[in-house]
Amino acid sequence: MKKAFFIILFLTILVNLFSAELVTVAEQSDYKLTSAYKDVMEFLFSAQARSDKIEILRLTTSSEGRMVPLVVISNEGIKSPKEMILSGKPAVLIMANIHAGEIEGKEATLMLTRDFVENKDNQHLENQVVLLLPIFNPDGNDKFGKNRRDNGPELAGTRYNGQYLDLNRDYLKLESPEVRGLVKLFNQWDPVLVVDLHTTNGSYHRHPVTYTANVNPNGDLSLADYMWKRFFPGTAKILKDTYGYDSIPYGNFTDRIQPGKGWSNDAFLARFGNNYAGLRNRFVVLDENYSYDDFKTRVLACYGFIKSILQYTHQHIREMEEMVKAADINTKNNYARENFILEFNEEKLFDVTVKSYEFQVEKIKEEDRSQYPPWFGDYIVKKTDVYKDYTVPYYGKAVPKRSIPLPGAYILLPYQDAVIKNLQRHGITAAKIKKPFQAEVEVFNIEEIKPAQRLYQGHVFIGLKGHYVPETLTISKNSYLISMKQPLARLLPVLLEPESEDSLAAWGFFNRQLVSQWTDKPLLYPVYRLRKVITAVERYQESVGQ
Ligand SMILES: [Zn+2]
C-alpha cells in the first residue's frame, strides 16, 4: 500500500514535470515575460524528444552565431525536403519574430508545437506538412530592452537583427544570413502558403488580429484575389466562431482626423515579405496583431489565427497547391507579354467595417507644437471609450499609373559577381554566355542619378531616371542571359529594371559603373533588354552555356 502510494506520488511528480516543461515563458509568468532564445530552444528540443512528429533542423546560423531553428511537423516525421516530396504533401510555413520586438507569434508557435505533441488537432497533418520558424531573428530577440510600443510585456527584443538590419526589408538584396536561409527554404521546401507574424500599432480599433495578402501590383494578383475572397473570410470565421476573436484586413485610417474617409493598407513595397512571396507566386498572410491589446490577448488571438489557418489549409491545401502550380506555368509562359508597373495609385478593394471608437480632435496649441512629430499636423486625435463602427472603403488595391512593356530576357554584362550571386540565391536561372553574339537590344540611357539624402538599411538609395534606346550590339563572353521564361520571372524586373523602386540598382549593386570617373556624368547601366524575347534563348542557344 505504502509502496503503491509512493509509486503514484512519483508518477504524479513525473507527469507534472513532464507537462511543466512544455509551458511557455509567457504562460509561466502570467504574460509578464516573453521567451529568451534559450527558452525557445529548450521548449522545442523537449517537444522533439516527446513526439515523432516533430523534427528540429537548422535553417541557418545568425550573424551572432545562433542556430535559427526550423521545426518540421508531420505525421511522417519528415526531416528533409526530399522526404516531404516523397510524402506527396505540400508545406505551410508559419514564421514568427522577424521583428524580434513583436513577440506573440513566437509564443503562439510554441503553443501550436505543443498541441501536436499532445495530439491535439492531429487531423491538420493529414494533408500538409507544417514548417515553423518560431524565432527567426534570435539575435534581436535576446537584446531585451524596454518594450516601448506594445501593451506589455515590459521587456522585448529589438526590431533589427545582429547586423542592425530590418529583416523584412532584406528580401530582395539578401544581405542577412536569416533571409538567405529563408529564401533557400523557399527554394527547397517550396511552401504553398507563408504566414508571417507581426505586431502593429497605428489607428485605434477593436480587432486583435489584422491581415493582408500580397498587394504589390507586380505579384500574381489572382492568388491575392483568392486570399481576399476565400481564405480570409474562411479563416476569420473560424477565428471568431472557435476562438472568439475579431479580425480585419490590415490598415490604418486614411485620414486620422476623419476616420470615415477610408482604411488604407500600406504594405505595397516589393521588399516586404508579403510581396516577395507573392512575386514568387506563393500564397501569403501578413498577420499584424494589434499592439494596444495586452500581451495575453495578442498571444491567444495569434494562436487562434494560426490554428484557424491550419484548419482552413487542412481542407483547401490541394486547391491552393494547384493554383500556385498554375501561376508558375502562367508566369513562365506569359509574363513577358505583360507590363511591369513602376508606379501605382491605391484604390478601393472593397468596403470594410472597422470596429473602432469615437475620437476627439483637438487643435495643437502653438506653444506645444514641438512636443509632437511633424506628421501630427495641426491636430491631436484622442480615442474616447465610446465604441463606433466605420464602414469605409479599404484602399488595398494598387492600380497601375506608369508601366513599361517587359522584355523577353535581360542581359547582364560581365563582372557583376554580387548581382549574379543575388539572382542565384533567389533561385533565378541565368545562363553564362560562352561565345559573343550580335543582338538587337535596348540599352538604358541614364538621364538622372539621384542618391538619397539619408541612409537606409546601410545603403544610400540610388534613384535612376532615363529611357531605353534600341541598339544592335555584340554581347560579350561572360555576360549572362536571364530569360523571362521561368517561374520566378516576376522577380526579374523588380530586381533589374533601373527605375524599379526596389531594384538592385536602387540598393547600390551597380554603383561602380553608373558614373564616369571625376564627373557625375552617367556612364553605363550594365543590364540590357532583349526584345524578341521568347525566341531569344533558342536563337542564341549555341552561345549560351548550360
Ligand atoms: Zn513587424
Side-chain angles (χ1 to χ4, degrees):
M1 186 70 186
K2 209 173 172 186
K3 196 176 169 189
F5 172 78
F6 278 110
I7 289 171
I8 289 165
L9 182 68
F10 174 72
L11 286 176
T12 311
I13 291 169
L14 198 67
V15 166
N16 282 342
L17 264 178
F18 219 63
S19 58
E21 282 176 36
L22 280 192
V23 176
T24 67
V25 166
E27 291 164 332
Q28 274 169 26
S29 67
D30 195 22
Y31 296 89
K32 295 203 167 42
L33 298 171
T34 187
S35 309
Y37 174 72
K38 143 182 125 6
D39 304 319
V40 173
M41 297 308 283
E42 279 173 15
F43 189 103
L44 293 177
F45 282 120
S46 179
Q48 183 184 30
R50 289 160 202 228
S51 171
D52 55 9
K53 293 184 174 60
I54 294 169
E55 289 295 330
I56 315 292
L57 307 177
R58 178 186 292 265
L59 177 81
T60 184
T61 303
S62 72
S63 55
E64 291 181 6
R66 294 181 177 90
M67 166 184 169
V68 179
L70 165 64
V71 186
V72 183
I73 307 177
S74 68
N75 275 340
E76 297 81 1
I78 286 166
K79 297 183 193 62
S80 68
K82 200 173 160 191
E83 288 177 15
M84 191 191 76
I85 291 165
L86 287 174
S87 80
K89 294 181 185 176
V92 170
L93 170 68
I94 304 173
M95 50 186 288
N97 195 241
I98 185 168
H99 292 145
E102 302 168 14
I103 47 185
E104 62 273 7
K106 175 183 58 182
E107 306 295 341
T109 49
L110 296 180
M111 292 164 70
L112 179 73
T113 307
R114 179 177 60 207
D115 284 351
F116 289 114
V117 173
E118 294 174 354
N119 296 316
K120 273 186 209 160
D121 296 326
N122 268 4
Q123 74 279 9
H124 292 168
L125 298 176
E126 282 168 11
N127 303 325
Q128 59 194 347
V129 173
V130 178
L131 305 177
L132 299 180
L133 293 169
I135 186 157
F136 183 59
N137 177 3
D139 298 348
N141 187 78
D142 276 18
K143 291 186 174 63
F144 284 108
K146 195 164 163 45
N147 182 358
R148 282 176 300 170
R149 207 178 70 167
D150 305 331
N151 184 6
E154 201 181 324
L155 298 175
T158 57
R159 184 177 176 90
Y160 49 79
N161 79 337
Q163 300 161 291
Y164 291 85
L165 291 176
D166 181 335
L167 297 177
N168 202 25
R169 305 293 181 270
D170 193 39
Y171 279 93
L172 297 170
K173 59 188 171 64
L174 299 180
E175 292 178 316
S176 67
E178 293 88 353
V179 179
R180 283 178 185 174
L182 179 61
V183 169
K184 200 169 166 189
L185 180 154
F186 287 165
N187 286 323
Q188 293 182 336
W189 294 85
D190 194 17
V192 167
L193 169 70
V194 180
V195 182
D196 185 16
L197 306 174
H198 291 248
T199 320
T200 191
N201 50 10
S203 296
Y204 292 107
H205 59 80
R206 309 191 322 262
H207 308 264
V209 170
T210 77
Y211 49 76
T212 179
N214 57 305
V215 284
N216 185 282
N218 294 304
D220 187 317
L221 295 180
S222 71
L223 301 182
D225 195 52
Y226 174 89
M227 295 300 278
W228 292 120
K229 288 182 180 155
R230 302 274 310 279
F231 183 96
F232 289 133
T235 49
K237 184 170 176 1
I238 303 169
L239 178 61
K240 180 69 177 172
D241 293 350
T242 310
Y243 300 92
Y245 293 105
D246 282 318
S247 60
I248 191 180
Y250 163 71
N252 288 288
F253 286 118
T254 311
D255 181 338
R256 65 197 188 96
I257 297 163
Q258 293 174 275
K261 277 191 175 174
W263 186 247
S264 293
N265 188 319
D266 61 3
F268 290 94
L269 287 173
R271 78 193 69 146
F272 298 165
N274 61 317
N275 297 314
Y276 180 72
L279 288 161
R280 295 182 66 106
N281 301 328
R282 293 298 174 265
F283 289 104
V284 66
V285 176
L286 168 61
D287 157 69
E288 292 278 4
N289 305 308
Y290 181 57
S291 112
Y292 307 114
D293 274 329
D294 62 61
F295 184 36
K296 184 174 183 178
T297 303
R298 298 201 316 271
V299 171
L300 296 181
C302 182
Y303 167 78
F305 191 41
I306 57 180
K307 295 286 285 186
S308 305
I309 287 170
L310 291 181
Q311 186 175 328
Y312 183 91
T313 51
H314 164 59
Q315 289 161 340
H316 298 279
I317 195 73
R318 289 296 174 191
E319 71 176 2
M320 294 172 76
E321 188 186 24
E322 290 306 312
M323 286 180 74
V324 301
K325 281 184 187 165
D328 278 351
I329 292 167
N330 185 43
T331 299
K332 187 177 172 191
N333 293 339
N334 302 317
Y335 184 53
R337 297 190 187 94
E338 294 183 20
N339 286 338
F340 179 64
I341 298 157
L342 290 164
E343 292 172 32
F344 56 88
N345 292 318
E346 291 156 35
E347 293 189 8
K348 177 176 144 174
L349 191 58
F350 42 71
D351 280 326
V352 68
T353 296
V354 186
K355 293 183 177 178
S356 182
Y357 301 90
E358 283 189 4
F359 296 97
Q360 278 175 355
V361 179
E362 284 174 21
K363 196 155 186 350
I364 295 175
K365 290 181 196 141
E366 212 45 56
E367 60 268 32
D368 296 339
R369 192 170 284 270
S370 61
Q371 295 173 26
Y372 301 101
W375 62 267
F376 264 51
D378 292 337
Y379 298 94
I380 312 166
V381 178
K382 286 186 180 164
K383 169 176 99 56
T384 70
D385 291 333
V386 181
Y387 286 179
K388 184 169 177 182
D389 298 348
Y390 302 84
T391 299
V392 291
Y394 179 44
Y395 295 103
K397 184 159 92 176
V399 177
K401 191 161 92 180
R402 185 163 77 96
S403 304
I404 48 166
L406 284 163
Y410 289 93
I411 300 277
L412 176 69
L413 299 192
Y415 314 117
Q416 308 293 336
D417 294 353
V419 175
I420 204 72
K421 188 78 201 161
N422 173 279
L423 298 179
Q424 287 166 346
R425 282 197 169 110
H426 285 289
I428 290 164
T429 305
K432 198 170 191 174
I433 307 289
K434 295 259 177 80
K435 198 169 127 194
F437 65 94
Q438 285 255 311
E440 290 165 26
V441 297
E442 289 178 332
V443 177
F444 189 70
N445 196 331
I446 304 170
E447 288 159 7
E448 184 186 297
I449 302 170
K450 200 170 178 185
Q453 294 285 316
R454 62 178 185 137
L455 286 170
Y456 175 77
Q457 299 297 313
H459 292 260
V460 176
F461 244 54
I462 306 292
L464 294 180
K465 280 191 183 150
H467 62 278
Y468 281 107
V469 287
E471 286 191 38
T472 303
L473 292 174
T474 301
I475 305 303
S476 60
K477 189 180 159 186
N478 294 330
S479 300
Y480 281 87
L481 178 70
I482 308 156
S483 171
M484 290 286 284
K485 284 188 87 172
Q486 53 182 311
L488 292 176
R490 289 177 183 279
L491 284 172
L492 288 177
V494 172
L495 294 165
L496 296 177
E497 282 297 336
E499 293 187 284
S500 156
E501 192 173 12
D502 255 308
S503 67
L504 294 178
W507 287 108
F509 280 67
F510 294 127
N511 282 358
R512 275 179 304 164
Q513 50 280 92
L514 287 184
V515 287
S516 312
Q517 191 172 10
W518 300 301
T519 75
D520 55 4
K521 210 173 145 229
L523 181 62
L524 172 73
Y525 187 71
V527 180
Y528 301 157
R529 292 161 45 113
L530 274 178
R531 287 304 300 274
K532 301 279 168 57
V533 221
I534 309 298
T535 58
V537 179
E538 288 81 13
R539 190 169 154 199
Y540 303 121
Q541 194 67 49
E542 63 178 43
S543 302
V544 169
Q546 294 305 306

